[in-house]
Amino acid sequence: MGNLKPRLTCFSAAGPAEYDRQNDRGSLRTIVAGILFIISAPSGSGKSTLVSELRKQVSGVDFSISWTTRAPRGSEEHGHEYYFTNREEFERMIADGLFLEHAEVFGHYYGTARHSLDDARKQGHDLLLDIDVQGAAQVRRGMPEAVSIFVLPPNPKVLRTRLRNRSRAEGQVNESELYRRLSEASKEIENYRDYSYILVNDILDRAVAQLEAIVLAERYYRNSEPIAIRSRRVLEVAAACRQANSQERLKPVLDAFGIGSPPGQQQFNFDEDPDED
Ligand code: 5GP
Protein backbone atom coordinates (compact mmCIF):
# COMPACT_ATOMS: atom_id res chain seq x y z
CA MET A 1 0.00 0.00 0.00
CA GLY A 2 1.82 3.11 -1.24
CA ASN A 3 5.28 4.17 -0.20
CA LEU A 4 5.79 3.36 3.46
CA LYS A 5 9.18 5.08 3.68
CA PRO A 6 8.95 7.74 6.39
CA ARG A 7 9.25 11.22 4.89
CA LEU A 8 8.79 14.73 6.11
CA THR A 9 6.97 17.08 3.80
CA CYS A 10 6.76 20.79 4.46
CA PHE A 11 4.32 23.00 2.65
CA SER A 12 5.62 26.20 1.24
CA ALA A 13 4.05 28.78 -1.02
CA ALA A 14 7.23 28.68 -3.09
CA GLY A 15 6.84 24.96 -3.75
CA PRO A 16 7.38 21.64 -2.00
CA ALA A 17 10.27 21.28 0.39
CA GLU A 18 10.62 17.58 0.88
CA TYR A 19 13.40 15.47 2.24
CA ASP A 20 14.08 12.08 3.76
CA ARG A 21 14.22 12.32 7.51
CA GLN A 22 16.76 9.47 7.54
CA ASN A 23 19.12 11.56 5.37
CA ASP A 24 18.60 14.74 7.33
CA ARG A 25 21.86 16.40 8.27
CA GLY A 26 20.15 18.95 10.48
CA SER A 27 19.93 21.85 8.03
CA LEU A 28 16.15 21.63 7.74
CA ARG A 29 15.52 20.46 11.28
CA THR A 30 13.97 23.74 12.33
CA ILE A 31 11.34 23.66 9.58
CA VAL A 32 8.11 22.40 11.04
CA ALA A 33 6.15 19.83 9.14
CA GLY A 34 2.70 20.69 7.95
CA ILE A 35 0.40 19.04 5.47
CA LEU A 36 -1.88 21.16 3.35
CA PHE A 37 -5.30 19.57 2.93
CA ILE A 38 -7.81 20.94 0.43
CA ILE A 39 -11.45 19.96 0.65
CA SER A 40 -13.96 20.83 -2.06
CA ALA A 41 -17.57 19.88 -2.63
CA PRO A 42 -20.64 21.16 -4.38
CA SER A 43 -22.76 23.41 -2.18
CA GLY A 44 -25.07 21.21 -0.06
CA SER A 45 -22.78 18.18 0.10
CA GLY A 46 -22.52 18.43 3.87
CA LYS A 47 -18.88 19.50 3.74
CA SER A 48 -19.16 22.05 6.56
CA THR A 49 -20.57 19.43 8.94
CA LEU A 50 -17.81 17.02 7.98
CA VAL A 51 -15.15 19.65 8.58
CA SER A 52 -16.57 20.69 11.95
CA GLU A 53 -16.67 17.04 13.06
CA LEU A 54 -13.05 16.62 11.98
CA ARG A 55 -12.13 19.68 14.06
CA LYS A 56 -13.60 17.99 17.14
CA GLN A 57 -11.79 14.71 16.56
CA VAL A 58 -8.32 15.53 15.25
CA SER A 59 -5.94 18.02 16.82
CA GLY A 60 -3.12 19.82 15.05
CA VAL A 61 -5.17 20.82 12.00
CA ASP A 62 -5.75 24.54 11.53
CA PHE A 63 -8.75 25.66 9.48
CA SER A 64 -8.24 28.62 7.23
CA ILE A 65 -10.90 31.32 7.53
CA SER A 66 -11.53 32.67 4.05
CA TRP A 67 -12.34 36.20 2.96
CA THR A 68 -15.55 36.72 1.04
CA THR A 69 -17.66 39.50 -0.43
CA ARG A 70 -20.92 37.63 0.17
CA ALA A 71 -23.14 38.78 3.02
CA PRO A 72 -23.18 36.82 6.31
CA ARG A 73 -25.91 34.15 6.48
CA GLY A 74 -27.91 33.24 9.58
CA SER A 75 -25.68 33.32 12.67
CA GLU A 76 -22.41 33.74 10.76
CA GLU A 77 -19.95 36.21 12.30
CA HIS A 78 -16.97 38.12 10.95
CA GLY A 79 -13.81 36.22 11.82
CA HIS A 80 -15.65 33.02 12.61
CA GLU A 81 -17.03 31.44 9.43
CA TYR A 82 -15.50 34.07 7.12
CA TYR A 83 -13.92 37.50 7.08
CA PHE A 84 -16.61 39.53 5.35
CA THR A 85 -15.61 42.46 3.19
CA ASN A 86 -16.70 44.40 0.10
CA ARG A 87 -15.59 44.04 -3.52
CA GLU A 88 -13.42 47.15 -3.45
CA GLU A 89 -11.44 45.97 -0.43
CA PHE A 90 -11.19 42.44 -1.84
CA GLU A 91 -9.84 43.73 -5.16
CA ARG A 92 -7.29 45.84 -3.30
CA MET A 93 -6.18 42.71 -1.44
CA ILE A 94 -5.84 40.87 -4.76
CA ALA A 95 -3.72 43.72 -6.15
CA ASP A 96 -1.54 43.64 -3.00
CA GLY A 97 -0.91 39.93 -3.55
CA LEU A 98 -2.42 38.97 -0.19
CA PHE A 99 -4.22 35.88 -1.46
CA LEU A 100 -2.82 32.42 -1.90
CA GLU A 101 -5.79 31.79 -4.18
CA HIS A 102 -9.08 33.45 -4.91
CA ALA A 103 -12.09 32.79 -7.11
CA GLU A 104 -15.52 34.10 -7.93
CA VAL A 105 -18.23 31.67 -6.80
CA PHE A 106 -21.97 32.34 -7.27
CA GLY A 107 -21.18 35.98 -8.07
CA HIS A 108 -19.09 36.64 -4.96
CA TYR A 109 -15.35 36.69 -4.34
CA TYR A 110 -13.80 34.12 -2.00
CA GLY A 111 -10.13 33.90 -1.14
CA THR A 112 -7.53 32.34 1.16
CA ALA A 113 -5.11 34.79 2.77
CA ARG A 114 -1.45 33.81 2.42
CA HIS A 115 -0.89 34.39 6.13
CA SER A 116 -3.12 31.36 6.95
CA LEU A 117 -0.38 29.18 5.53
CA ASP A 118 2.40 31.01 7.36
CA ASP A 119 0.51 30.93 10.67
CA ALA A 120 -0.07 27.18 10.46
CA ARG A 121 3.51 26.55 9.45
CA LYS A 122 4.83 28.55 12.41
CA GLN A 123 2.68 26.48 14.74
CA GLY A 124 3.80 23.24 13.07
CA HIS A 125 0.18 22.48 12.29
CA ASP A 126 -1.48 21.00 9.26
CA LEU A 127 -3.82 23.34 7.43
CA LEU A 128 -7.18 22.61 5.88
CA LEU A 129 -8.61 24.81 3.13
CA ASP A 130 -12.31 24.55 2.39
CA ILE A 131 -12.31 26.02 -1.11
CA ASP A 132 -14.06 25.57 -4.44
CA VAL A 133 -12.72 23.69 -7.46
CA GLN A 134 -11.18 26.81 -9.08
CA GLY A 135 -9.25 27.71 -5.92
CA ALA A 136 -8.17 24.09 -5.47
CA ALA A 137 -6.73 24.04 -8.99
CA GLN A 138 -4.75 27.24 -8.25
CA VAL A 139 -3.33 25.82 -5.01
CA ARG A 140 -2.44 22.49 -6.62
CA ARG A 141 -0.51 24.30 -9.37
CA GLY A 142 1.70 26.07 -6.80
CA MET A 143 1.79 23.28 -4.25
CA PRO A 144 1.42 19.89 -5.93
CA GLU A 145 2.17 18.18 -2.62
CA ALA A 146 -1.20 19.35 -1.21
CA VAL A 147 -3.63 16.54 -0.38
CA SER A 148 -6.95 17.17 -2.08
CA ILE A 149 -10.26 15.65 -1.05
CA PHE A 150 -13.53 15.91 -2.97
CA VAL A 151 -16.85 15.31 -1.19
CA LEU A 152 -19.78 14.03 -3.22
CA PRO A 153 -23.42 14.02 -2.20
CA PRO A 154 -24.84 10.49 -2.66
CA ASN A 155 -27.30 11.51 -5.39
CA PRO A 156 -29.00 14.61 -6.84
CA LYS A 157 -32.20 14.08 -4.85
CA VAL A 158 -30.39 14.18 -1.52
CA LEU A 159 -28.50 17.25 -2.69
CA ARG A 160 -31.71 19.01 -3.63
CA THR A 161 -33.32 18.17 -0.28
CA ARG A 162 -30.28 19.44 1.64
CA LEU A 163 -30.17 22.67 -0.33
CA ARG A 164 -33.88 23.27 0.12
CA ASN A 165 -33.72 22.53 3.87
CA ARG A 166 -30.81 24.92 4.21
CA SER A 167 -32.75 27.66 2.42
CA ARG A 168 -35.75 27.04 4.70
CA ALA A 169 -33.59 27.19 7.82
CA GLU A 170 -32.26 30.52 6.63
CA GLY A 171 -35.82 31.67 6.04
CA GLN A 172 -35.39 32.16 2.31
CA VAL A 173 -36.55 29.55 -0.19
CA ASN A 174 -35.39 30.84 -3.51
CA GLU A 175 -36.20 28.33 -6.25
CA SER A 176 -34.08 29.97 -8.94
CA GLU A 177 -31.04 30.09 -6.64
CA LEU A 178 -31.70 26.45 -5.69
CA TYR A 179 -31.82 25.43 -9.34
CA ARG A 180 -28.64 27.39 -10.07
CA ARG A 181 -26.78 25.63 -7.26
CA LEU A 182 -28.01 22.21 -8.42
CA SER A 183 -26.87 22.82 -11.99
CA GLU A 184 -23.57 24.19 -10.71
CA ALA A 185 -23.13 21.04 -8.59
CA SER A 186 -23.14 18.77 -11.64
CA LYS A 187 -20.46 20.89 -13.30
CA GLU A 188 -18.31 20.96 -10.16
CA ILE A 189 -18.56 17.19 -9.73
CA GLU A 190 -16.88 16.73 -13.12
CA ASN A 191 -13.69 17.99 -11.42
CA TYR A 192 -13.57 15.02 -9.04
CA ARG A 193 -10.84 13.44 -11.17
CA ASP A 194 -8.33 16.12 -10.10
CA TYR A 195 -8.57 15.13 -6.41
CA SER A 196 -6.49 12.53 -4.57
CA TYR A 197 -9.33 11.27 -2.37
CA ILE A 198 -13.11 11.04 -2.85
CA LEU A 199 -15.69 10.85 -0.06
CA VAL A 200 -19.36 10.08 -0.65
CA ASN A 201 -21.27 11.80 2.14
CA ASP A 202 -24.26 9.47 2.53
CA ILE A 203 -23.71 8.31 6.12
CA LEU A 204 -22.22 11.14 8.16
CA ASP A 205 -20.36 9.00 10.74
CA ARG A 206 -18.74 6.96 8.02
CA ALA A 207 -17.70 10.01 6.01
CA VAL A 208 -16.23 11.63 9.16
CA ALA A 209 -14.27 8.45 9.94
CA GLN A 210 -12.99 8.39 6.36
CA LEU A 211 -11.91 12.03 6.50
CA GLU A 212 -10.15 11.41 9.80
CA ALA A 213 -8.45 8.32 8.33
CA ILE A 214 -7.17 10.34 5.36
CA VAL A 215 -5.60 12.95 7.67
CA LEU A 216 -4.00 10.31 9.92
CA ALA A 217 -2.78 8.19 7.00
CA GLU A 218 -1.18 11.20 5.29
CA ARG A 219 0.55 12.13 8.55
CA TYR A 220 1.82 8.61 8.80
CA TYR A 221 3.13 8.52 5.24
CA ARG A 222 4.66 11.99 5.27
CA ASN A 223 5.78 12.48 8.83
CA SER A 224 6.13 8.92 9.99
CA GLU A 225 3.70 9.89 12.71
CA PRO A 226 2.58 6.85 14.71
CA ILE A 227 -1.10 6.03 14.51
CA ALA A 228 -1.14 3.33 17.16
CA ILE A 229 -3.19 0.18 17.19
CA ARG A 230 -5.82 1.41 14.78
CA SER A 231 -3.14 2.14 12.22
CA ARG A 232 -3.73 -0.76 9.90
CA ARG A 233 -7.47 -0.12 9.69
CA VAL A 234 -6.94 3.61 9.26
CA LEU A 235 -4.55 3.04 6.36
CA GLU A 236 -7.03 0.66 4.74
CA VAL A 237 -9.92 3.10 5.11
CA ALA A 238 -7.85 5.94 3.63
CA ALA A 239 -6.57 3.78 0.78
CA ALA A 240 -10.13 2.79 -0.13
CA CYS A 241 -10.97 6.51 -0.48
CA ARG A 242 -8.15 7.15 -2.93
CA GLN A 243 -9.63 8.20 -6.22
CA ALA A 244 -7.74 5.44 -8.02
CA ASN A 245 -9.46 2.84 -5.81
CA SER A 246 -12.92 4.40 -5.92
CA GLN A 247 -14.23 3.77 -9.42
CA GLU A 248 -16.69 1.00 -8.47
CA ARG A 249 -17.98 2.91 -5.43
CA LEU A 250 -18.36 6.11 -7.43
CA LYS A 251 -20.07 4.71 -10.50
CA PRO A 252 -23.67 4.82 -9.22
CA VAL A 253 -23.15 8.33 -7.84
CA LEU A 254 -21.63 9.66 -11.05
CA ASP A 255 -24.32 7.92 -13.11
CA ALA A 256 -27.03 9.58 -11.01
CA PHE A 257 -25.52 12.99 -11.75
CA GLY A 258 -25.15 12.10 -15.44
CA ILE A 259 -21.36 12.50 -15.26
CA GLY A 260 -19.78 10.77 -18.21
CA SER A 261 -23.12 10.35 -20.01
CA PRO A 262 -23.52 11.95 -23.42
CA PRO A 263 -25.49 15.21 -23.30
CA GLY A 264 -29.23 14.61 -23.10
CA GLN A 265 -28.83 11.15 -21.55
CA GLN A 266 -28.50 12.21 -17.93
CA GLN A 267 -30.48 9.95 -15.64
CA PHE A 268 -31.71 12.69 -13.33
CA ASN A 269 -33.54 15.84 -14.20
CA PHE A 270 -33.48 18.53 -11.52
CA ASP A 271 -36.77 19.87 -12.83
CA GLU A 272 -38.65 16.68 -11.95
CA ASP A 273 -41.22 16.70 -9.12
CA PRO A 274 -40.03 20.00 -7.61
CA ASP A 275 -42.43 19.79 -4.65
CA GLU A 276 -41.59 16.27 -3.65
CA ASP A 277 -39.04 17.03 -0.87
P1 5GP B 1 -20.66 29.38 0.90
O1 5GP B 1 -21.00 30.76 0.42
O2 5GP B 1 -21.79 28.41 0.71
O3 5GP B 1 -20.09 29.39 2.30
O4 5GP B 1 -19.46 28.85 -0.03
C1 5GP B 1 -19.62 28.77 -1.41
C2 5GP B 1 -18.41 28.10 -2.01
O5 5GP B 1 -17.24 28.92 -1.85
C3 5GP B 1 -18.05 26.74 -1.39
O6 5GP B 1 -17.79 25.83 -2.45
C4 5GP B 1 -16.77 27.01 -0.62
O7 5GP B 1 -15.91 25.89 -0.56
C5 5GP B 1 -16.15 28.08 -1.49
N1 5GP B 1 -15.14 28.84 -0.76
C6 5GP B 1 -15.16 29.22 0.54
N2 5GP B 1 -14.04 29.87 0.85
C7 5GP B 1 -13.28 29.90 -0.28
C8 5GP B 1 -11.97 30.42 -0.60
O8 5GP B 1 -11.28 30.99 0.22
N3 5GP B 1 -11.54 30.26 -1.86
C9 5GP B 1 -12.28 29.62 -2.82
N4 5GP B 1 -11.75 29.49 -4.03
N5 5GP B 1 -13.50 29.12 -2.56
C10 5GP B 1 -13.98 29.25 -1.30
Side-chain angles (χ1 to χ4, degrees):
M1 187 195 306
N3 176 10
L4 289 173
K5 192 176 175 189
R7 293 181 307 155
L8 182 59
T9 303
C10 307
F11 57 64
S12 132
E18 190 173 285
Y19 68 103
D20 283 350
R21 186 175 268 170
Q22 285 152 344
N23 295 334
D24 179 26
R25 294 191 189 89
S27 56
L28 291 173
R29 218 176 258 291
T30 51
I31 296 181
V32 217
I35 303 171
L36 183 60
F37 293 96
I38 302 171
I39 188 162
S40 302
S43 178
S45 302
K47 180 184 50 176
S48 307
T49 313
L50 269 178
V51 168
S52 69
E53 287 302 311
L54 181 74
R55 294 182 84 143
K56 287 182 207 153
Q57 315 222 353
V58 181
S59 60
V61 185
D62 285 356
F63 295 80
S64 169
I65 301 176
S66 297
W67 286 81
T68 184
T69 58
R70 83 148 164 76
R73 285 196 301 241
S75 59
E76 287 179 342
E77 283 174 34
H78 183 76
H80 196 242
E81 288 78 10
Y82 284 104
Y83 297 111
F84 296 97
T85 187
N86 56 36
R87 288 186 81 85
E88 198 186 0
E89 175 70 8
F90 197 101
E91 282 168 1
R92 194 189 56 72
M93 291 175 74
I94 296 174
D96 289 347
L98 297 183
F99 289 117
L100 178 68
E101 63 73 35
H102 67 275
E104 197 152 355
V105 186
F106 304 127
H108 302 291
Y109 280 131
Y110 292 82
T112 306
R114 285 187 188 279
H115 73 73
S116 294
L117 203 60
D118 299 333
D119 295 348
R121 190 167 36 196
K122 277 184 212 139
Q123 300 288 324
H125 288 170
D126 298 332
L127 181 68
L128 190 139
L129 308 181
D130 169 349
I131 58 179
D132 85 316
V133 294
Q134 307 168 73
Q138 291 172 39
V139 175
R140 264 195 305 261
R141 272 197 294 277
M143 285 175 275
E145 77 280 13
V147 177
S148 57
I149 303 158
F150 195 84
V151 181
L152 282 166
N155 59 59
K157 247 177 140 170
V158 167
L159 180 64
R160 187 177 61 186
T161 304
R162 285 182 187 160
L163 283 174
R164 184 166 282 145
N165 289 346
R166 184 200 280 180
S167 305
R168 279 186 189 136
E170 288 165 4
Q172 39 173 308
V173 184
N174 180 335
E175 284 300 318
S176 63
E177 178 65 15
L178 184 68
Y179 181 81
R180 190 159 79 102
R181 291 203 167 205
L182 285 167
S183 313
E184 201 56 43
S186 278
K187 283 189 226 142
E188 283 181 44
I189 289 172
E190 304 232 5
N191 293 281
Y192 82 94
R193 295 179 190 85
D194 298 330
Y195 288 72
S196 335
Y197 291 96
I198 316 288
L199 298 184
V200 179
N201 190 12
D202 45 2
I203 301 166
L204 179 65
D205 287 351
R206 185 169 63 189
V208 171
Q210 289 171 335
L211 184 55
E212 191 184 348
I214 292 167
V215 171
L216 298 180
E218 287 292 335
R219 285 180 175 174
Y220 174 75
Y221 288 131
R222 294 175 183 230
N223 299 350
S224 187
E225 184 169 305
I227 44 178
I229 290 165
R230 291 188 307 146
S231 63
R232 214 197 178 95
R233 179 75 191 129
V234 162
L235 297 182
E236 281 169 8
V237 171
C241 296
R242 282 205 156 270
Q243 195 218 120
N245 301 334
S246 299
Q247 290 313 312
E248 212 173 296
R249 183 171 60 99
L250 294 186
K251 192 172 181 317
V253 182
L254 298 174
D255 284 351
F257 280 97
I259 309 287
S261 310
Q265 289 185 25
Q266 278 92 349
Q267 294 190 359
F268 189 88
N269 181 351
F270 291 128
D271 287 335
E272 280 171 9
D273 35 84
D275 296 324
E276 189 198 336
D277 302 326

